[in-house]
Amino acid sequence: MGATGALAGAALFTAEAAAQQSKPGSENTVTLPPIDAATEPPLTTPGPFLPPNKRVGFAVVGLGNLSLDQILPAFGKSDYCKVTALVSGDRGKALKIAAQYGIAESNLIDYAGYETLKNMPGVDVIYIVLPNSMHREFVVRGAKIGKHILCEKPMATSARDCEDMIAACKQANVKLMIAYRQQYEPMNRTLGKAVADGKLGKVHSIVASNSQNVGDPTQWRLNRKLAGGGCMPDVGIYCLNAARFLTNEEPEEVLAVTVQPKDDPRFKEVESRCEVIARFPSGMTATFTSAYDVHRSNFLRLEGDTAWGEMSPGFGYHGSKLHFSRLEDGKDVEMTPSIEEKDQFALEMDHMATCVLQNVQPHTPGEEGLQDQRLIEAIYKSAASGRGVKVSQPNGPTRGPALPPMKA
Ligand code: NAD
């Protein structure tokens, strides 16, 4: 399954394109007779799955923490994907992992041999899971050999690189998706729908934090050239992206403060903390903090004039909790919807696979990563100058077609 078939540029972001997204393999759906009363929520069965020979094949590039802890295990929970190749600088490690996932030895390559993915059977998508500054090179090289690309966040370390990556994928007529896993996650989607349906009234304020305590001072995350910054592009980006996609608004100005302690060997090159206030055209503000020197903490609250919705924890791989509070007859009513947790990486990869199978633009294309990067650059500019920095609205939509409705 190669990168065939062009989408007409203007049609990329339309609702019609979204409507094409029926579930792959849905002809094999099995419906069992209900066993509960009609008043009970319906039982759902997983799938329909695609059989192995019809699944979209992924080459995973970079075998570090995220690949080993989350991405590779998620293939076992995916409906449409399989892992068919590994790209690593450490053949010994790749062999051990390949043995666990049943990947042929002939499909293990190093970075210099990356272009051999072009003719490797069963590789449709390349998933880039490398340090941030390497994303550009491997996306561009991947596009040139005609493969669809799923690229980890942050998309790159400069807006210029993001633009080059978008251009390379357009030129090669391959899909480019940025792995914003939270946009595919059911609690985030429920919260976004509540905002869109006016369930919070008018959202005036967003408050969020995504912070952790990093160790080893020699890791690439603390190297400016490889990471592009400190906590902001790594973990603060979740708060920034959430403020954007949950409200469907784009910041027009940011004001930021960064902290880089002089006496801590971890922060010789990058900030340990970043505080941001973003102002949106409607007057809404988002205030968020990210840190590399505090105990893990992550939450998000959207405050509307009649209700608030909160995810706490909010940005982890597992265990997010969604909570609403609203005024009813002068009293606070609290509500915690019962939403089954899903593997965010399986959902995200299945979305990419669906886009390939149905030739649809991803919901989080390169333009979404570019806009975050433009804002991150404005955030650093503001921190350096001590002044608010204006950011122009994007030229067009940054997100692709709306996702199909979630399963009941
Ligand atoms: P990691 O350090 O654990 O793994 C990076 C891999 O890249 C390693 O296998 C390393 O050997 C390889 N590598 C190749 N060239 C390298 C070089 N010059 N320097 C350092 N490593 C090199 O990092 P990770 O946590 O797996 O992060 C990888 C990417 O995934 C990053 O872009 C990160 O932002 C992103 N990420 C996303 C999430 C998420 O929730 N979506 C979570 C963690 C990381």
Side-chain angles (χ1 to χ4, degrees):
M1 199 178 317
T4 52
L7 283 182
L12 289 181
F13 294 105
T14 61
E16 294 91 286
Q20 294 167 18
Q21 287 192 314
S22 62
K23 294 203 94 190
S26 51
E27 67 280 10
N28 293 327
T29 303
V30 174
T31 308
L32 299 173
I35 53 176
D36 287 332
T39 48
E40 297 297 306
L43 292 177
T44 55
T45 47
F49 310 118
L50 281 180
N53 64 342
K54 293 205 172 143
R55 286 183 176 234
V56 175
F58 281 62
V60 175
V61 185
L63 301 178
N65 287 282
L66 186 66
S67 292
L68 268 55
D69 293 349
Q70 301 296 327
I71 292 170
L72 289 165
F75 282 99
K77 298 169 202 155
S78 123
D79 291 354
Y80 314 131
C81 308
K82 62 183 173 189
V83 54
T84 50
L86 301 176
V87 182
S88 170
D90 181 341
R91 186 154 179 92
K93 177 168 64 172
L95 279 166
K96 286 183 187 167
I97 295 164
Q100 295 174 49
Y101 287 93
I103 302 165
E105 258 187 54
S106 54
N107 287 11
L108 311 182
I109 53 170
D110 62 13
Y111 300 113
Y114 187 66
E115 275 70 21
T116 57
L117 289 174
K118 181 177 166 66
N119 296 317
M120 195 174 280
V123 175
D124 306 300
V125 174
I126 298 176
Y127 192 168
I128 312 287
V129 201
L130 290 166
N132 308 339
S133 69
M134 299 174 72
H135 293 180
R136 179 198 180 281
E137 176 191 337
F138 284 86
V139 166
V140 171
R141 283 170 66 185
K144 281 192 179 146
I145 56 169
K147 298 295 174 181
H148 303 293
I149 311 276
L150 177 57
C151 176
E152 263 308 326
K153 52 51 65 180
M155 181 173 174
T157 51
S158 73
R160 179 69 196 273
D161 280 1
C162 296
E163 283 160 1
D164 290 348
M165 292 152 80
I166 293 169
C169 291
K170 286 215 165 101
Q171 162 99 30
N173 192 25
V174 297
K175 298 186 193 310
L176 172 60
M177 171 172 156
I178 309 305
Y180 285 111
R181 59 180 165 79
Q182 77 219 68
Q183 295 208 28
Y184 301 92
E185 189 279 325
M187 286 179 222
N188 278 281
R189 292 188 61 186
T190 304
L191 181 52
K193 185 166 185 316
V195 175
D197 292 348
K199 296 276 168 54
L200 307 188
K202 186 160 172 31
V203 176
H204 287 306
S205 160
I206 300 173
V207 185
S209 172
N210 196 16
S211 298
Q212 59 195 47
N213 205 346
V214 295
D216 179 10
T218 65
Q219 62 184 292
W220 67 261
R221 279 188 165 76
L222 301 170
N223 173 315
R224 175 165 294 283
K225 195 160 176 291
L226 285 168
C231 55
M232 179 58 226
D234 187 26
V235 288
I237 193 172
Y238 287 87
C239 306
L240 173 64
N241 192 253
R244 296 177 50 232
F245 82 81
L246 290 171
T247 61
N248 219 13
E249 269 201 69
E250 296 294 340
E252 61 180 9
E253 186 172 9
V254 292
L255 180 65
V257 172
T258 53
V259 177
Q260 191 175 346
K262 288 195 175 58
D263 54 350
D264 189 327
R266 296 174 296 177
F267 305 113
K268 288 207 171 79
E269 298 190 14
V270 299
E271 80 278 3
S272 64
R273 246 162 298 137
C274 182
E275 315 282 345
V276 180
I277 303 174
R279 193 162 53 76
F280 292 73
S282 66
M284 178 178 77
T285 47
T287 307
F288 59 86
T289 183
S290 57
Y292 262 172
D293 60 357
V294 302
H295 178 55
R296 190 173 295 275
S297 161
N298 62 80
F299 64 86
L300 159 101
R301 184 182 276 195
L302 270 66
E303 300 169 333
D305 53 7
T306 59
W308 52 254
E310 175 185 83
M311 290 188 59
S312 182
F315 301 116
Y317 302 140
H318 304 286
S320 288
K321 292 197 178 77
L322 176 61
H323 192 64
F324 291 100
S325 171
R326 68 167 185 273
L327 263 183
E328 252 179 41
D329 301 329
K331 286 199 180 127
D332 271 334
V333 179
E334 305 225 341
M335 205 253 296
T336 302
S338 161
I339 298 172
E340 194 187 336
E341 184 167 303
K342 296 268 169 67
D343 187 290
Q344 299 177 40
F345 293 91
L347 290 173
E348 156 202 296
M349 293 191 299
D350 278 343
H351 177 70
M352 181 73 192
T354 307
C355 292
V356 170
L357 290 165
Q358 301 184 342
N359 197 13
V360 176
Q361 174 78 345
H363 182 62
T364 52
E367 287 79 355
E368 180 74 343
L370 167 64
Q371 185 61 12
D372 273 347
Q373 187 58 40
R374 290 178 68 221
L375 287 158
I376 289 169
E377 287 178 8
I379 285 166
Y380 283 137
K381 206 167 158 192
S382 168
S385 67
R387 293 163 189 264
V389 171
K390 296 239 178 347
V391 186
S392 56
Q393 294 290 297
N395 288 334
T398 64
R399 286 180 286 285
L403 295 170
M406 288 184 284
K407 256 188 178 178

